[in-house]
Amino acid sequence: MQLPPALCARLAAGPGAAEPLPVERDPAAGAAPFRFVARPVRFPREHQFFEDGDVQRHLYLQDVIMQVADVPEKPRVPAFACQVAGCCQVFDALDDYEHHYHTLHGNVCSFCKRAFPSGHLLDAHILEWHDSLFQILSERQDMCLVEGCTEKFKTSRDRKDHMVRMHLYPADFRFDKPKKSRSPASAEAPGDSGERSEGEAMEICSEPVAASPAPAGERRIYRHRIPSTICFGQGAARGFKSNKKKTKQC
Amino acid sequence: MWSRRQGRLRPTVCGVEELRRRRREREAALRKARREQQLVSKRLLRNDAPEEAGEGCVAAILGETEVQQFLRQAQRGTEEKEREGALVSLRRGLQHPETQQTFIRLEGSMRTLVGLLTSNQALLQLEAARCLHELSHSEQSTVAEACLPATSYLLTYLSSHSSDFIELCLYTLGNLIVESEAVRRQLLPQGIVPALAACIQSPHVAVLEALGYALSQLLQAEEAPEKIIPSSILASTLPQHMLQMLQPGPKLNPGVAVEFAWCLHYIICSQVSNPLLIGHGALSTLGLLLLDLAGAVQKTEDAGLELLACPVLRCLSNLLTEAAVETVGGQMQLRDERVVAALFILLQFFFQKQPSLLPEGLWLLNNLTANSPSFCTSLLSLDLIEPLLQLLPVSNVVSVMVLTVLCNVAEKGPAYCQRLWPGPLLPALLHTLAFSDTEVVGQSLELLHLLFLYQPEAVQVFLQQSGLQALERHQEEAQLQDRVYALQQTALQG
């Protein structure tokens, strides 16, 4: 297919519309038996007209499998430690450090040092745990944790119910820890019952949290010796009263 | 992903012939799936080279004991490297459907994996996410649906800050989305659309490409036109952001643009609210992108530009059918004649590299010229009639479309037909009259009629070049008879 040489020049030149030649239709043009009418055509999604292009698209999506994964390995660097005060985790690849930093030191509550996966959850936490005005008001306003939903609730129980019913979230969603009462019963010594470990996945806490493979309701107690190379920070306060004993693990 | 893939385009262990054969098989399978309206494809993001696996190229299938063992090690191991290693071994095993089945049948396995996903050990999280990703890619619904307990967390992590992790979560979600309506019925109330909308602000190209993929899977769903697009998508800021991703310029990334162009196509061809998109400047953005593509096609060798050109053509063509395209003055919003130049450059590219896309390009040309004297004039003044005629032999479908475009020009009256004749048009028509395809011949007759009407001098030449004999061939054909007869009368009286 040969294109006129001036075409590329036209493309490179500025915008413009051709001055249209005069239009002058004769009614005999559309007279029977002739039936041509100039009209734009539309095709709906499933039309067969799209078959070839769709197949090309899906071949592309699938193409990743067909190619030998030849991506260069993560570039390794001499081992270095995380610079955040109190954290002595060591890395030898920058990607790993980036992920660690954002996960553990990214959205951290400055009051209680808990880390959260997103700014949204951190905001909800601060409001619910550390906002003294919030505590004074007799009407609590726990916000729904699903982004985009603006519902608010008087109790964390109500919020949980909403998230389970409306948003189909799991009842044991780890980032919806109900507000603890400040009774002496909530001890924070290592080896505490799993009830605490349930909702504190992102907390910088003294134990690696793991899901219990047992059915919900059964509590497991995890006792592990933390390897010396791992440090989780200065230990989190459990409530926002700072008279609880801080546990230093480093 | 695109940029990452460019480094991978080398022949694999199997030869090029084997690759071609497999591709043909896959293509046939995809065609069949599309005809049955079951076209579903998942994307796999696998990062490690097979050599890492040790002895063979492929990891071994894991049995139940081994899966349990790896899970336990990952969960309770003492050394972090050991825990990570256990998950890596599990992930490699999960490349096999058999291991996947074993995994999902094991009680508590998903719960453990979710626990690792949400743990505070960054590298364990990543590896757990990779395991989930392998599972999400499975073609067996039971395996993919077993990942459902993890979705609320995958969505939560979309607002995190680790780009690798977000990318992985997005591809996993994209694979799950396409699995079944049941999965989407869970993901939508869980807030997948706002979560995806939040990701669009990411500065990371890989994240944007993954986001586009996940969104395109959501929009491709059968129930999307009714249940997803009107309520969620159009209510969000996604459409404006999508258009931003398609703006040509130094920041345009082809891999990202491909995904969002397909997203836009699924929205537009659902015909839910196209005037809204036009209001956001979709026509001018896509028009400029078309110009950009034509420029790129002239410069680079290949790089899969047709993957982007196809959805852009479709979006433009469908948008041009909207009444909103006409402004108060009755002028089309898209008027730049460079669009026609760009389109022909793309048509030439398709002719050489991907002839199956010629109909789509010609479809746009039809929609541009149908109601636009300006674009018809451009075809004439830019000397594009002859190149158009060169496409006639490609296929019957292409022939019909070429002839239709020519009819669009001719029906505008004598000023246009004067520029169509003398020239190569009449010989080309005499040639197409020899075709056996009824539709091709029918369209040729329509064009002849217009030509005779507005340019009567052409009749004589037609007769001299055995035009009547060419017509006679079709006078028994039911669909053509009347028109053949009418033309014969015109010719004889002329």
Side-chain angles (χ1 to χ4, degrees):
Chain A
M1 185 190 178
Q2 297 275 37
L3 294 176
L7 198 65
C8 302
R10 181 63 196 93
L11 184 67
E19 192 54 50
L21 296 165
V23 176
E24 205 187 309
R25 293 186 178 96
D26 187 324
F34 296 97
R35 42 200 191 240
F36 175 75
V37 176
R39 61 161 69 91
V41 174
R42 74 162 46 139
F43 289 114
R45 5 169 91 202
E46 288 307 327
H47 202 282
Q48 210 210 334
F49 185 74
F50 290 147
E51 183 178 304
D52 283 311
D54 283 355
V55 166
Q56 297 304 319
R57 159 69 173 163
H58 282 260
L59 278 173
Y60 167 69
L61 284 180
Q62 291 180 355
D63 250 348
V64 183
I65 312 173
M66 289 300 282
Q67 291 161 8
V68 170
D70 219 12
V71 177
E73 270 235 355
K74 275 189 288 203
R76 302 273 162 190
V77 297
F80 64 97
C82 177
Q83 293 301 301
V84 173
C87 177
C88 32
Q89 183 112 31
V90 171
F91 303 92
D92 65 355
L94 292 174
D95 282 351
D96 293 346
Y97 178 57
E98 191 214 10
H99 184 61
H100 160 87
Y101 184 89
H102 288 309
T103 307
L104 290 182
H105 307 304
N107 297 296
V108 173
C109 173
S110 51
F111 299 100
C112 64
K113 308 293 180 239
R114 270 184 206 139
F116 293 87
S118 70
H120 181 72
L121 288 172
L122 174 61
D123 289 344
H125 160 82
I126 291 177
L127 204 61
E128 288 160 35
W129 284 65
H130 303 298
D131 187 324
S132 39
L133 183 61
F134 199 74
Q135 306 310 316
I136 290 168
L137 290 175
S138 53
E139 284 205 0
R140 288 178 54 85
Q141 292 236 287
D142 281 9
M143 56 196 247
C144 175
L145 297 180
V146 175
E147 258 193 89
C149 178
T150 52
E151 296 285 332
K152 297 200 193 320
F153 306 90
K154 285 194 192 163
T155 66
S156 49
R157 178 94 228 164
D158 288 346
R159 186 208 16 228
K160 182 184 279 299
D161 282 346
H162 163 85
M163 284 176 61
V164 169
R165 267 183 309 107
M166 294 300 293
H167 296 296
L168 307 184
Y169 262 54
D172 60 350
F173 187 61
R174 278 148 216 287
F175 307 123
D176 180 15
K177 183 178 182 324
K179 193 149 173 7
K180 295 294 291 273
S181 66
R182 283 166 258 152
S183 69
S186 56
E188 58 163 334
D192 199 352
S193 77
E195 200 246 293
R196 178 167 56 87
S197 71
E198 186 78 32
E200 293 173 21
M202 293 311 296
E203 204 178 307
I204 307 173
C205 66
S206 55
E207 294 171 358
V209 177
S212 158
E218 189 188 307
R219 306 297 180 196
R220 287 281 174 85
I221 292 173
Y222 294 99
R223 298 176 193 275
H224 303 288
R225 195 181 61 77
I226 314 274
S228 55
T229 52
I230 292 179
C231 169
F232 292 114
Q234 311 208 4
R238 286 291 167 260
F240 43 76
K241 284 256 170 109
S242 58
N243 57 3
K244 299 257 174 159
K245 197 166 75 129
K246 284 198 193 299
T247 48
K248 288 199 184 352
Q249 299 294 326
C250 225
Chain B
M1 203 56 184
W2 192 304
S3 49
R4 251 193 249 179
R5 278 176 60 229
Q6 274 171 0
R8 299 192 208 178
L9 291 172
R10 301 186 206 170
T12 64
V13 201
C14 10
V16 176
E17 255 321 300
E18 171 70 11
L19 269 183
R20 283 213 195 103
R21 188 188 63 77
R22 280 197 211 163
R23 192 186 166 95
R24 278 196 296 270
E25 275 173 13
R26 281 192 297 141
E27 200 175 319
L30 285 170
R31 258 179 227 290
K32 178 164 181 291
R34 196 194 185 275
R35 284 181 197 157
E36 293 163 8
Q37 315 231 335
Q38 303 271 0
L39 194 52
V40 157
S41 287
K42 299 190 178 185
R43 219 175 187 198
L44 186 65
L45 186 72
R46 231 180 241 158
N47 275 341
D48 59 359
E51 298 91 71
E52 263 186 32
E55 290 88 59
C57 255
V58 177
I61 299 176
L62 300 176
E64 189 175 299
T65 331
E66 289 162 295
V67 171
Q68 267 177 325
Q69 190 187 354
F70 286 137
L71 278 173
R72 205 173 292 130
Q73 257 183 309
Q75 194 182 19
R76 305 186 202 173
T78 47
E79 294 287 328
E80 190 176 341
K81 282 290 170 206
E82 180 196 334
R83 296 175 75 184
E84 200 191 324
L87 272 183
V88 169
S89 305
L90 178 63
R91 191 225 323 150
R92 291 217 190 95
L94 285 173
Q95 291 177 16
H96 293 282
E98 295 92 330
T99 315
Q100 291 168 0
Q101 285 292 334
T102 306
F103 180 88
I104 64 169
R105 283 197 295 257
L106 205 56
E107 199 186 313
S109 56
M110 185 52 70
R111 205 169 155 71
T112 306
L113 197 58
V114 170
L116 291 161
L117 178 74
T118 55
S119 73
N120 53 9
Q121 304 267 43
L123 295 180
L124 286 182
Q125 275 190 302
L126 263 176
E127 276 308 322
R130 289 191 185 121
C131 290
L132 264 177
H133 179 69
E134 287 288 345
L135 289 167
S136 76
H137 188 261
S138 169
E139 305 210 329
Q140 295 157 35
S141 318
T142 45
V143 176
E145 286 179 4
C147 299
L148 284 177
T151 55
S152 57
Y153 299 106
L154 291 173
L155 289 174
T156 304
Y157 288 130
L158 291 186
S159 323
S160 70
H161 289 289
S162 168
S163 60
D164 273 353
F165 195 48
I166 297 176
E167 189 190 352
L168 201 49
C169 291
L170 282 168
Y171 278 116
T172 307
L173 282 165
N175 289 344
L176 292 176
I177 284 170
V178 89
E179 186 52 51
S180 68
E181 194 174 345
V183 171
R184 294 189 288 271
R185 273 203 299 271
Q186 170 165 314
L187 284 170
L188 284 164
Q190 283 186 342
I192 186 165
V193 175
L196 292 176
C199 282
I200 207 159
Q201 313 275 8
S202 169
H204 299 276
V205 160
V207 168
L208 291 174
E209 190 173 334
L211 169 63
Y213 165 74
L215 210 46
S216 73
Q217 299 287 56
L218 191 60
L219 294 167
Q220 202 194 346
E222 217 178 300
E223 76 276 17
E226 290 150 67
K227 298 197 188 149
I228 303 177
I229 296 176
S231 47
S232 314
I233 304 290
L234 292 174
S236 73
T237 54
L238 278 168
Q240 292 107 297
H241 282 116
M242 279 192 228
L243 284 171
Q244 265 170 20
M245 301 292 157
L246 294 171
Q247 268 162 13
K251 281 163 114 191
L252 179 74
N253 178 280
V256 172
V258 163
E259 299 308 315
F260 284 108
W262 279 95
C263 287
L264 214 53
H265 162 60
Y266 293 130
I267 294 178
I268 290 174
C269 69
S270 304
Q271 289 156 14
V272 173
S273 191
N274 289 340
L276 179 75
L277 288 167
I278 295 178
H280 284 314
L283 273 173
S284 69
T285 301
L286 291 167
L288 287 170
L289 185 54
L290 197 74
L291 300 185
D292 208 52
L293 273 168
V297 145
Q298 294 174 292
K299 285 183 220 130
T300 64
E301 230 318 291
D302 201 331
L305 285 165
E306 71 275 10
L307 292 163
L308 180 54
C310 173
V312 171
L313 290 172
R314 293 181 180 189
C315 288
L316 277 168
S317 305
N318 266 328
L319 279 179
L320 284 171
T321 64
E322 297 290 335
V325 160
E326 316 278 324
T327 60
V328 175
Q331 303 272 25
M332 263 180 27
Q333 277 191 18
L334 189 68
R335 295 177 55 206
D336 188 346
E337 95 176 324
R338 293 180 300 171
V339 168
V340 174
L343 185 50
F344 269 80
I345 291 171
L346 286 172
L347 285 174
Q348 184 192 49
F349 172 70
F350 292 156
F351 183 69
Q352 290 160 352
K353 294 277 161 66
Q354 193 73 270
S356 60
L357 284 179
L358 279 170
E360 303 213 21
L362 289 168
W363 170 36
L364 178 58
L365 192 57
N366 174 72
N367 286 9
L368 283 171
T369 52
N371 292 332
S372 171
S374 175
F375 280 134
C376 288
T377 307
S378 294
L379 271 186
L380 296 165
S381 59
L382 293 172
D383 284 322
L384 294 170
I385 302 297
E386 181 144 13
L388 202 52
L389 291 172
Q390 287 169 20
L391 292 175
L392 281 171
V394 170
S395 69
N396 287 335
V397 170
V398 169
S399 297
V400 170
M401 299 185 86
V402 167
L403 292 166
T404 307
V405 170
L406 291 166
C407 284
N408 287 348
V409 177
E411 69 91 27
K412 307 249 174 330
Y416 294 79
C417 285
Q418 273 162 26
R419 307 277 288 267
L420 286 175
W421 187 86
L425 180 59
L426 198 52
L429 277 177
L430 286 162
H431 186 65
T432 56
L433 281 177
F435 282 26
S436 52
D437 184 85
T438 314
E439 239 193 296
V440 175
V441 176
Q443 206 63 39
S444 311
L445 297 175
E446 299 283 345
L447 187 52
L448 265 179
H449 166 65
L450 292 166
L451 194 60
F452 288 172
L453 184 63
Y454 294 130
Q455 194 71 348
E457 299 95 324
V459 180
Q460 274 310 310
V461 183
F462 178 74
L463 289 170
Q464 284 160 14
Q465 303 203 345
S466 321
L468 279 178
Q469 286 89 313
L471 285 176
E472 261 162 40
R473 200 175 294 138
H474 302 288
Q475 58 192 19
E476 304 301 317
E477 177 63 51
Q479 294 208 36
L480 304 170
Q481 280 175 333
D482 297 339
R483 292 180 281 179
V484 166
Y485 181 74
L487 282 172
Q488 283 167 331
Q489 295 308 303
T490 312
L492 291 170
Q493 281 155 21

